Amino acid sequence: MKRIDERDTMFARMSYKKGSKAYEDYYRRHPNKKEIDDRIREKPHLCSEGTATFDEILSPIADANFAFLGGIRHLAEGPVNPNKVETDAKRITRVLKGLAEHYGACLVGVTKMKEEHYYSHRGRHEENYGDEVKVTHSYGIVFAVEMDKEMINRSPQVAEVIETSKAYVDVGIIGMQLAYYIRQLGYDARNHMDANYLVIAPHVAASAGLGQIGRNTLLITKKYGSRVRLGVVTTELSLDTDEPIDFGLEAFCLACGKCVRTCPGKAISSEDDSKKWYLEQEKCYNMWRSIGTDCGICISACPFSQSIDLKLIDGIKGNADNIQQLLKIHEDKYGIRPYIKEQPKWF
């Protein structure tokens, strides 16, 4: 599997200011992306005046969350205690998983890190643009926090970006606590968090058995669907690993297609071959800049995000009738997708 270059992601590309070294280098190497990127770059930023969902009181809540994450980004790596504590893999894995859950994670798993879990080069920030990402840690602890269903079911209103940004803070803090703890034990560890990932979190999560990658290219978990945000801590500390799972998601996504039908940017692949599923990130992000939030409709539209019956989910693998039963239950309750028009009372 080919490693992904972070410089090619929309988040990185949109950070390149005209005239900067990163801007000049990237579009010299990718002139075909310059026109579309410049066109999107001219639009208002997320949570900004001029977007469809902007609210001068509420939109800055998400901005404040992302500003806070930027303020602690430099703490993702740090000094390691020279006095190493000896421990066995099974016990420390049990402790770390329990600690992640105690700190607020709803799911946690461990995997052996592979090269393709890491970006090939950094691209999000000017100071380390183009730096090669070296694979230095052998193990990854990946954890998820649940996003509030009613907030996500208000997608793409401003409630959605308030909830997603809150969840990024939640996993960022959990990751800091775990990484600091591991370094205190005498082992190197790094927290991968919003705007400071060296890894592709959904791929790490799938390898660790938290869920599978769905048609919408997001991690889909059995209990929470895509209604999670992911954090990863990588470390040299030897851990007990989990295995990937297969609960029949591929066949379900092939039969469902709600994310395709509800995506306002028409960015999600309708291919019948799961190997060809992709997200047209330019179409997706362009819609974000028009709406003013990170949309979230494909998260809300996914039946798994609505906490459907786990017993029924356990019966979908290899059973087309059970898949159709689940889809009918969802359709009868929500139609094409759930949508809460009213704002939360505290708004």
Side-chain angles (χ1 to χ4, degrees):
M1 188 172 173
K2 188 179 178 183
R3 290 173 72 181
I4 295 170
D5 190 331
E6 190 186 30
R7 292 173 291 186
D8 291 328
T9 66
M10 288 307 298
F11 303 115
R13 285 153 59 183
M14 289 299 105
S15 71
Y16 306 150
K17 293 185 172 72
K18 287 188 176 182
S20 68
K21 289 182 179 179
Y23 182 95
E24 296 300 331
D25 175 75
Y26 187 78
Y27 296 111
R28 175 183 56 78
R29 292 185 299 107
H30 301 282
N32 58 313
K33 291 184 169 73
K34 187 174 183 297
E35 183 180 352
I36 179 64
D37 285 7
D38 282 344
R39 193 159 64 242
I40 297 172
R41 200 175 274 111
E42 289 173 0
K43 290 189 169 187
H45 289 277
L46 299 190
C47 303
S48 295
E49 189 172 1
T51 59
T53 61
F54 176 71
D55 183 293
E56 62 181 0
I57 297 296
L58 301 172
S59 296
I61 296 172
D63 279 337
N65 284 335
F66 288 121
F68 169 68
L69 288 168
I72 64 171
R73 179 163 55 91
H74 67 286
L75 302 174
E77 302 173 57
V80 178
N81 187 346
N83 301 312
K84 187 171 287 189
V85 176
E86 296 300 327
T87 184
D88 66 273
K90 285 189 182 299
R91 183 184 181 194
I92 196 60
T93 301
R94 184 173 67 248
V95 169
L96 285 166
K97 285 184 173 183
L99 198 54
E101 291 175 350
H102 181 68
Y103 288 153
C106 63
L107 298 169
V108 58
V110 175
T111 189
K112 197 89 189 260
M113 296 298 291
K114 302 175 183 175
E115 277 202 22
E116 60 264 29
H117 288 149
Y118 287 86
Y119 286 117
S120 63
H121 296 81
R122 302 188 72 171
R124 192 74 182 265
H125 303 286
E126 186 82 25
E127 66 267 23
N128 49 40
Y129 171 88
D131 286 359
E132 184 181 354
V133 176
K134 292 183 169 48
V135 182
T136 55
H137 291 153
S138 299
Y139 294 89
I141 308 152
V142 57
F143 43 90
V145 298
E146 178 187 6
M147 295 190 290
D148 182 84
K149 185 160 52 173
E150 291 198 351
M151 293 288 273
I152 293 300
N153 284 351
R154 289 181 166 94
S155 300
Q157 299 180 65
V158 71
E160 182 273 346
V161 74
I162 290 173
E163 184 61 18
T164 57
S165 61
K166 171 202 173 288
Y168 276 122
V169 170
D170 291 342
V171 291
I173 295 298
I174 293 169
M176 287 295 187
Q177 291 171 295
L178 295 180
Y180 268 70
Y181 168 56
I182 294 169
R183 294 198 293 263
Q184 189 63 31
L185 293 176
Y187 301 86
D188 194 30
R190 187 189 196 279
N191 180 27
H192 301 263
M193 51 181 280
D194 180 70
N196 196 17
Y197 291 102
L198 300 184
V199 300
I200 299 93
H203 292 180
V204 182
S207 293
L210 268 63
Q212 293 180 257
I213 305 297
R215 183 190 286 275
N216 60 6
T217 72
L218 299 173
L219 183 83
I220 296 179
T221 68
K222 290 171 68 174
K223 188 173 182 180
Y224 308 103
S226 299
R227 198 168 38 82
V228 294
R229 278 291 178 263
L230 300 170
V232 180
V233 170
T234 55
T235 181
E236 65 179 356
L237 175 63
S238 294
L239 298 170
D240 204 22
T241 59
D242 299 292
E243 295 298 321
I245 59 172
D246 179 1
F247 56 91
L249 182 68
E250 180 181 348
F252 186 91
C253 286
L254 283 167
C256 177
K258 286 185 180 293
C259 59
V260 177
R261 286 180 280 158
T262 57
C263 175
K266 304 301 177 190
I268 300 172
S269 166
S270 60
E271 292 280 354
D272 289 332
D273 182 353
S274 64
K275 292 185 176 65
K276 297 179 180 177
W277 287 347
Y278 61 89
L279 178 80
E280 289 189 66
Q281 58 174 344
E282 293 85 359
K283 288 183 178 180
C284 177
Y285 189 75
N286 182 57
M287 187 57 61
W288 288 16
R289 292 286 281 262
S290 297
I291 293 171
T293 70
D294 49 355
C295 186
I297 288 175
C298 67
I299 297 175
S300 175
C302 177
F304 284 94
S305 295
Q306 303 308 316
S307 303
I308 48 183
D309 191 324
L310 284 175
K311 289 182 180 178
L312 285 174
I313 292 171
D314 286 337
I316 66 172
K317 187 173 181 181
N319 192 322
D321 290 340
N322 283 10
I323 290 173
Q324 290 305 318
Q325 183 185 358
L326 270 178
L327 288 171
K328 186 178 186 310
I329 291 170
H330 184 272
E331 191 85 21
D332 289 346
K333 187 173 183 179
Y334 299 110
I336 184 63
R337 77 172 180 100
Y339 179 59
I340 302 173
K341 186 176 181 180
E342 299 77 19
Q343 301 277 36
K345 288 182 180 178
W346 59 274
F347 275 24

